[in-house]
């Protein structure tokens, strides 16, 4: 008798390659990359790559995944912008891989928390915003918004307009339940409210930051 039942087929994410990652097209030139536990996403624009999050478990495989995609699209493989969903090391602990020649974008509170942490693996954002920011790179547009504290005080919503894709980390867990203590969230009423705010965006795909799966509307409705 096993201690645990098997993971249901519907919860298993995409198969990983020999290097331990999967990179797949979300929509158009927007791709997501996962190691089965964590997720990042990136836009391959004609002016360079915009990466959202850099989980240390994926680490250098992020470079490989970006190479895989930009070799096919023929767009520059250099990461020009790195957006932080929030300050937690498990989602951005590989952020130092891109050195000084990248614009680091995050919430004002993310910068405060990272300056305090003094972690060389998580350089503080160079560009910050309080409520909203629209990032235009090449032909693309990303809408960043802070709707108040939820999982973390600085957790932001990143919406790719043309791709109808929302990245919101540590709130919705497609095919799974949130891990212990509601994903170790700090503001529970805010975390619950974040589900309703997420569903108010017209997204078709959700990048939740964890596990292998991308989310569909039904995943958000289920967890809501
Ligand atoms: Zn977190």
């Amino acid at each position: 008798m096993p201690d645990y039942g098997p993971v249901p087929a519907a919860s298993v994410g995409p198969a990983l390659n020999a290097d331990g990652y999967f990179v797949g097209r979300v929509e158009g030139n927007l791709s997501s990359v996962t190691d089965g536990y964590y997720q990042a996403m990136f836009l391959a624009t004609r002016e360079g790559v915009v990466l959202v999050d850099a989980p240390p478990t994926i680490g250098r495989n992020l470079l490989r995944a970006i190479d895989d995609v930009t070799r096919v699209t023929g767009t520059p493989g250099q990461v020009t912008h790195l957006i932080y969903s929030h300050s937690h090391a498990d989602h951005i602990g590989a952020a130092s891989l891109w050195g000084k020649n990248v614009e680091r974008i995050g919430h004002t509170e993310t910068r405060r928390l990272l300056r305090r942490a003094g972690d060389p693996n998580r350089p503080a954002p160079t560009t910050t915003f309080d409520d909203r920011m629209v990032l235009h790179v090449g032909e693309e547009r990303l809408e960043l918004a802070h709707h108040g504290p939820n999982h973390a005080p600085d957790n932001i919503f990143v919406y790719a307009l043309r791709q109808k894709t929302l990245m919101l980390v540590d709130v919705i867990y497609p095919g799974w339940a949130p891990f212990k203590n509601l994903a170790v969230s700090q503001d529970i009423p805010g975390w619950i409210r974040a589900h309703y705010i997420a569903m108010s965006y017209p997204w078709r795909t959700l990048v939740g930051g964890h596990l292998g799966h991308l989310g569909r509307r039904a995943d958000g409705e289920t967890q809501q």
Side-chain angles (χ1 to χ4, degrees), residues 57-183:
T57 56
I58 307 178
R60 290 186 176 275
N61 279 338
L62 289 164
L63 305 173
R64 295 192 178 96
I66 289 167
D67 256 15
D68 295 343
V69 168
T70 54
R71 233 184 292 122
V72 174
T73 56
T75 52
Q78 194 197 339
V79 174
T80 53
H81 299 77
L82 176 52
I83 298 170
Y84 296 168
S85 65
H86 63 304
S87 74
H88 291 167
D90 61 331
H91 291 279
I92 62 162
S96 64
L97 280 177
W98 288 275
K100 288 199 186 308
N101 295 323
V102 64
E103 184 175 349
R104 299 168 185 277
I105 302 169
H107 191 257
T108 312
E109 180 68 4
T110 305
R111 181 164 65 184
R112 192 187 71 80
L113 290 165
L114 289 179
R115 281 182 171 167
R116 192 179 65 175
D119 178 357
N121 296 317
R122 290 177 290 161
T126 49
T127 302
T128 60
F129 68 97
D130 287 321
D131 299 324
R132 267 161 218 286
M133 175 177 166
V134 177
L135 178 68
H136 291 277
V137 182
E139 66 285 17
E140 298 302 334
R141 178 187 166 103
L142 282 178
E143 298 178 351
L144 316 185
H146 183 249
H147 295 293
N150 48 71
H151 157 73
D154 58 330
N155 203 24
I156 62 167
F157 293 63
V158 181
Y159 187 58
L161 198 76
R162 289 209 310 172
Q163 296 78 7
K164 287 193 178 300
T165 298
L166 177 69
M167 183 157 173
L168 171 65
V169 170
D170 285 330
V171 175
I172 293 170
Y173 287 74
W176 295 79
F179 61 88
K180 69 167 183 172
N181 301 336
L182 300 178

